[in-house]
Amino acid sequence: MTDVSRRGFLVTMAAAGAVRMAPLAAVATSRGRPILTLVYDKGLGMMRAVERMVP
């Protein structure tokens, strides 16, 4: 494991979150309405929310 400082870890997590949320932000600006569906995830063993945009 590399020696990562607290600041480096936070910067890395912020960058990863920004990359993950960028496509959602692009979809949200287009026309459509969000549909939120709850699905049971067998791998997690619990319900999770799935959001998609519908024209």
Side-chain angles (χ1 to χ4, degrees):
M1 180 96 183
T2 61
D3 186 26
V4 179
S5 66
R6 174 190 247 171
R7 181 174 290 170
F9 176 76
L10 291 175
V11 168
T12 303
M13 290 298 110
V19 167
R20 188 170 179 206
M21 292 299 165
L24 293 177
V27 169
T29 59
S30 67
R31 291 182 178 232
R33 61 186 180 135
I35 301 293
L36 185 66
T37 308
L38 293 175
V39 296
Y40 185 75
D41 190 340
K42 290 181 181 178
L44 293 174
M46 60 186 223
M47 299 292 285
R48 75 180 171 98
V50 176
E51 185 177 9
R52 60 189 173 108
M53 297 300 285
V54 176

